[in-house]
Amino acid sequence: MKIMVIFSGGMDSATLLYHLRDKGHEVVPIGVDYNQRHRKELECAARLCNERLGLRYPILNLRQIGRFLTGSSQTDPAMPVPHGHYAAENMKQTVVPNRNMLMLAAAGAVAISSECDALAYGAHAGDHTIYPDCRPTFIQIMREAFLNCDWKPLQLLVPFQDWTKGMIVQEGLRLGVPYELTWTCYEGGETPCGLCGSCTERQEAFFDAGVPDPALSGKG
């Protein structure tokens, strides 16, 4: 199948890209710029695609929409990025309103125009609690929408829907994903902070997989 993959530059979507290639599919990565604080992830995604996979990496520009998404630490400069574990109540500040629906709708339109058979994104089991647009109910509704939004049905693939982040790391290690080129930190600085929820979850995933995180060595 020809599959368009929403590739943010993070470890989940990077693993997804390699996972689908390993299955023999033709993958077409695409990024989405929604004016996120951690736009460095897009630079990392472009580098990985260009240097390691020899793939083009187009980026959809949704920055104007992002400017209106107040109340989230990832799109609102007035909101600080909370530190700690995703189990904490304040981690809801990292939720970008309707982010995945925006990204799926935009990338889905491009996927249809590019004659792709499917669209894929990297939601996983660990996202279900904090992010409404990663939950099974949302995924199923979007699957049905894509099957009915055009004359040719577009499949929505979410292979990691029931996987833990530790399982994703294990799969990525098997496939040789260059995790040192991926970006996870919500702060978006020069180096990962090692303290935000995203960094904390990433460190736990590598710990569960029994290997150190090459991007956070010496931190946290």
Side-chain angles (χ1 to χ4, degrees):
M1 282 197 299
K2 182 179 180 181
I3 305 173
M4 180 157 286
V5 180
I6 298 178
F7 180 34
S8 68
M11 58 182 288
D12 302 327
S13 57
T15 307
L16 177 61
L17 198 62
Y18 275 73
H19 174 79
L20 293 174
R21 275 171 56 101
D22 184 63
K23 297 293 184 182
H25 300 296
E26 177 188 355
V27 296
V28 183
I30 192 166
V32 182
D33 183 350
Y34 54 93
N35 205 38
Q36 59 265 52
R37 183 191 298 259
H38 54 303
R39 290 185 69 252
K40 184 170 180 176
E41 64 178 1
L42 299 175
E43 299 171 10
C44 292
R47 181 183 174 193
L48 191 152
C49 286
N50 296 333
E51 296 182 5
R52 297 300 179 91
L53 298 174
L55 297 173
R56 290 181 61 252
Y57 182 64
I59 298 175
L60 298 177
N61 186 352
L62 301 184
R63 300 196 74 189
Q64 288 301 319
I65 295 177
R67 297 180 201 280
F68 291 94
L69 303 181
T70 58
S72 169
S73 64
Q74 301 319 111
T75 51
D76 187 343
M79 295 286 293
V81 176
H83 289 173
H85 198 277
Y86 273 127
E89 181 68 18
N90 65 348
M91 286 301 159
K92 289 183 178 179
Q93 296 172 13
T94 66
V95 176
V96 178
N98 214 24
R99 183 189 70 162
N100 281 345
M101 185 178 285
L102 288 170
M103 293 198 298
L104 288 168
V110 179
I112 291 170
S113 297
S114 303
E115 299 185 340
C116 291
D117 302 295
L119 174 67
Y121 83 122
H124 60 85
D127 290 331
H128 296 172
T129 301
I130 187 70
Y131 297 118
D133 52 8
C134 291
R135 294 174 183 170
T137 300
F138 173 84
I139 292 170
Q140 184 56 37
I141 291 171
M142 292 304 297
R143 279 197 174 113
E144 293 175 5
F146 280 123
L147 291 176
N148 292 279
C149 71
D150 192 70
W151 291 281
K152 178 186 176 183
L154 181 70
Q155 296 184 50
L156 177 62
L157 305 179
V158 193
F160 301 155
Q161 179 177 345
D162 298 317
W163 291 30
T164 65
K165 209 171 182 78
M167 292 168 64
I168 292 173
V169 170
Q170 290 176 339
E171 173 70 352
L173 294 173
R174 181 184 74 82
L175 297 172
V177 176
Y179 284 126
E180 69 278 7
L181 298 184
T182 63
W183 185 263
T184 297
C185 181
Y186 276 162
E187 291 282 4
E190 288 301 311
T191 59
C193 71
L195 299 172
C196 68
S198 192
C199 280
T200 300
E201 184 188 48
R202 176 172 171 140
Q203 291 177 80
E204 288 182 349
F206 276 94
F207 179 81
D208 290 344
V211 295
D213 179 356
L216 289 176
S217 57
K219 279 189 171 286

